[in-house]
C-alpha cells in the first residue's frame, strides 16, 4: 500500500499542473466529444514519420482462383532442426491450408508459417507437439508490418489464419503476434502462459469470449493486447494471478461481464473503455493510470468502486457511463480529474476531508444531484465542475472560497456551477459571506447562508425528503421553524433531512 501511495504522490507532483493534457496515444475521433486511443501501430508510425493519423482499412489479399480450392491440403511436418520448415515444405508452401508441425522451431519457421498463410492458403496450424524456441510465440509472428501495411493508403492486408493450437509450455505471446488476424476464431491459451504482449491480438474481431480461457498464472496483459476485439461481447473470466492490465487492453470490446482480480496492481487508461458490463469493483491497492478513461463510455455500468488508497480520481474515468448510480471518491483523494464523473446518473457522492481540487467538468451533467457537501480542504474548483441542473443546495465548508479554475482547451463558462439556479441556497462558514460574494465563480450565486452546523458525513446520511408531522422542526442553527425552503437541510426528531 505504501508503494501505491508513493506512486500517487509522485504523480501529483509531476502531472497535476498538466491534467488537461491528452495522453500521447489519444486522439479525437471523427465525431464530436469522443476520445479514442490510437493503435500502437499507427502511433509508432506517426511519431517516427510526423505523418497525420488516418483510419486503417482491413482487406483480404486477392488470389487467383483455384480449381481445387475445396480440396483439403494438409501437411504433417516433423523437424529435426529449427529453421528448416521452409525446405521441408518445399513447393507445397503455398498449396496447403492446414499443417501440423513437430520438433524444434524458431522465428525463421514462424516466418515460413506466415508466408504460407499470407501468400498462400494456410488457415489451420497445430503446434502442440512443436518445441518452440524460448517458450515464446515471437513478436510479429503472424503480422509483418513491412509487407501487410501500405502507409500510402493505410490499408492492411490480412492473413486467412483461422485456427492455431499452441503447446502447453508457452509462457509468452509476443508483440503483435496475431495482430489484425481478423479471421482467427480459435486459439488456446497455454497453462504456463504468463504474459501477453502489446497488440498481440489487436483487431482480432472474430474471437469470441469462450476462446479467452486464461490460465491461473497469467500475470500481465500488455498495452492493447485485445484492442477492438469486438467479438468479445460476452463474459470474460480473468485469473486471480493477474496483476497488470495495461492501457486499452480491452478497448471497445463490448464485454458484458467481467471479474476484477483482487490482486490487480495496475489498471491502464482506456483499459475497459467501451465495455458493457454493469459492475466494476477495484481492489484498494490498485494503482490507476493518471491519464484516465479506464471505464470511458461504458453505457451499462451501474456500480463502481475506485481504490480507496488512490490519491486521485483519474480524468474521464467514468465519463459517459450514463447508467452509473453508485460510485465513490477514494477516501484519501486529493484531486478529482476533469470529466471524471461526467454525464453519470449519480444522485449523491461523498468527498473526503483530504480533497483539494476538483477539475473542470468533473460532475457535469450529473443532473440527479440535488445537494453537495464540499470539504473544508477544498482549494480549487474547475469550470463547470458541477454543471448539474438538478442542484438545489450547495454546502461548502472552506473558510476561503475555493479558487475558480477557468477551463483549458474549452470555452470558459466562468464559473463552476454553470446552468444551476443562481438563487439556490449556498451554505458557507460563519463570517465568510463577503469573501464568497467577491470570489470569481462563487459570485454567480445570490443566496449565501452562513452556518457553523454542516452535515457531518455527506448527503448520503441525510434523508432526501420528509413530510413534516407533529414533530418540531429546526434549522441547522437550532432555530425552530415552520416555513421550510426547498433544498435546505433541517432537523426533525434528531435527524437531518432535505426538504424538496
Amino acid at each position: 500500500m505504501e508503494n501505491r501511495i508513493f506512486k500517487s504522490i509522485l504523480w501529483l507532483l509531476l502531472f497535476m499542473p498538466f491534467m488537461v493534457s491528452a495522453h500521447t496515444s489519444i486522439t479525437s475521433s471523427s465525431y464530436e466529444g469522443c476520445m479514442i486511443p490510437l493503435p500502437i501501430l499507427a502511433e509508432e508510425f506517426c511519431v517516427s514519420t510526423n505523418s497525420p493519423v488516418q483510419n486503417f482499412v482491413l482487406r483480404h489479399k486477392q488470389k487467383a482462383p483455384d480449381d481445387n480450392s475445396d480440396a483439403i491440403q494438409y501437411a504433417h511436418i516433423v523437424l529435426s532442426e529449427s529453421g528448416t520448415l521452409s525446405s521441408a515444405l518445399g513447393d507445397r508452401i503455398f498449396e496447403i491450408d492446414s499443417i501440423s508441425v513437430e520438433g524444434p522451431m524458431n522465428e525463421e519457421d514462424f516466418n515460413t508459417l506466415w508466408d504460407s498463410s499470407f501468400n498462400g492458403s494456410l488457415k489451420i496450424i497445430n503446434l502442440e507437439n512443436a518445441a518452440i524456441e524460448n517458450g515464446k510465440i515471437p513478436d510479429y509472428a503472424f503480422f509483418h508490418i513491412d509487407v501487410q501495411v501500405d502507409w500510402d493508403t493505410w490499408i492492411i492486408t490480412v492473413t486467412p489464419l483461422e485456427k492455431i493450437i499452441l503447446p502447453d509450455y508457452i509462457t509468452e505471446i509476443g508483440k503483435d503476434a496475431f495482430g489484425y488476424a481478423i479471421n482467427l476464431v480459435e486459439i488456446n491459451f497455454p497453462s504456463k502462459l504468463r504474459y501477453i504482449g502489446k497488440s498481440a491480438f489487436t483487431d482480432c474481431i472474430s474471437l469470441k469470449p469462450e476462446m479467452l480461457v486464461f490460465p491461473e498464472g497469467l500475470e500481465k496483459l500488455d498495452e492493447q493486447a485485445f484492442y477492438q476485439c469486438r467479438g468479445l461481447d460476452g463474459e470474460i473470466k480473468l485469473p486471480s494471478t493477474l496483476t497488470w492490465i495495461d492501457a486499452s487492453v480491452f478497448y471497445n470490446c463490448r464485454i458484458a461481464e467481467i471479474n476484477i482480480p483482487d490482486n490487480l496492481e495496475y489498471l491502464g487508461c482506456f483499459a475497459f473503455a467501451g465495455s458493457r458490463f454493469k459492475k466494476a469493483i477495484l481492489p484498494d491497492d490498485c494503482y490507476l493510470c493518471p491519464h484516465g478513461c479506464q471505464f470511458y463510455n461504458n453505457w451499462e455500468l451501474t456500480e463502481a468502486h475506485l481504490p480507496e488508497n488512490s490519491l486521485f480520481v483519474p480524468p474521464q474515468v467514468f465519463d459517459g457511463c450514463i447508467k452509473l448510480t453508485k460510485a465513490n471518491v477514494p477516501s484519501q483523494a486529493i484531486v478529482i480529474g476533469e470529466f471524471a464523473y461526467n454525464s453519470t446518473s449519480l444522485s449523491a457522492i461523498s468527498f473526503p476531508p483530504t480533497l483539494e481540487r476538483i477539475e473542470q467538468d468533473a460532475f457535469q451533467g450529473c443532473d440527479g444531484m440535488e445537494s453537495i457537501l464540499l470539504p473544508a480542504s477544498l482549494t480549487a474548483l474547475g469550470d463547470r465542475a458541477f454543471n448539474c441542473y438538478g442542484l438545489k443546495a450547495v454546502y461548502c465548508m472552506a473558510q476561503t472560497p475555493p479558487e475558480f479554475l477557468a477551463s483549458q482547451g474549452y470555452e470558459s463558462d466562468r464559473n463552476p456551477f454553470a446552468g444551476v439556479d443562481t438563487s439556490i441556497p449556498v451554505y458557507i462558514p460563519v463570517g465568510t459571506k463577503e469573501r464568497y460574494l467577491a470570489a470569481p465563480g462563487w459570485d454567480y450565486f445570490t443566496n449565501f447562508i452562513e452556518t457553523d452546523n454542516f452535515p457531518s458525513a455527506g448527503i448520503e446520511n441525510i434523508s432526501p425528503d420528509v413530510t413534516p408531522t407533529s414533530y418540531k422542526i429546526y434549522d441547522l442553527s437550532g432555530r425552530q421553524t415552520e416555513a421550510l425552503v426547498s433544498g435546505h437541510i433541517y432537523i426533525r426528531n434528531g435527524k437531518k433531512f432535505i426538504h424538496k
Side-chain angles (χ1 to χ4, degrees), residues 51-89:
S51 301
V53 177
Q54 300 182 45
N55 292 322
F56 285 121
V57 176
L58 308 182
R59 73 175 187 186
H60 293 88
K61 188 174 184 180
Q62 298 297 317
K63 298 180 181 180
D66 184 356
D67 294 338
N68 297 318
S69 59
D70 293 335
I72 296 175
Q73 302 291 329
Y74 170 71
H76 177 224
I77 305 294
V78 179
L79 301 176
S80 58
E81 184 180 349
S82 61
T84 60
L85 179 59
S86 178
S87 58
L89 281 172

Side-chain angles (χ1 to χ4, degrees), residues 46 82 88 155 230-231 273 283-284 299 302 431 433 435 453 466 482:
C46 292
S82 61
I155 291 175
R230 299 183 186 92
D284 286 340
W299 299 333
T302 60
K433 186 174 181 178
R435 294 178 218 158
N453 190 3
V466 170
E482 294 181 356

Side-chain angles (χ1 to χ4, degrees), residues 27 38 93 115 175 206 251 285 470 472:
T27 185
L38 287 177
I93 186 170
D115 191 17
K175 179 180 179 181
S206 297
Y251 173 77
D285 285 336
S470 58
K472 293 180 179 180

Side-chain angles (χ1 to χ4, degrees), residues 334-386:
I334 297 172
V335 178
I336 297 177
E338 64 176 38
F339 294 94
Y341 302 86
N342 177 47
S343 297
T344 63
S345 293
L346 293 173
S347 60
I349 198 161
S350 291
F351 299 110
T354 56
L355 188 64
E356 297 179 5
R357 185 183 182 105
I358 301 177
E359 297 285 346
Q360 68 181 61
D361 303 285
F363 293 89
Q364 177 184 233
C366 296
D367 296 332
M369 285 190 177
E370 295 188 355
S371 295
I372 55 172
L373 172 61
L374 302 176
S377 56
L378 192 68
T379 60
L381 200 53
D383 221 329
R384 299 175 302 273
F386 291 98

Side-chain angles (χ1 to χ4, degrees), residues 315-335:
Q316 296 186 269
V317 61
F318 298 121
D319 187 3
C321 297
I322 58 177
K323 293 185 179 180
L324 184 65
T325 58
K326 185 177 181 181
N328 69 313
V329 174
S331 58
Q332 301 182 55
I334 297 172
V335 178

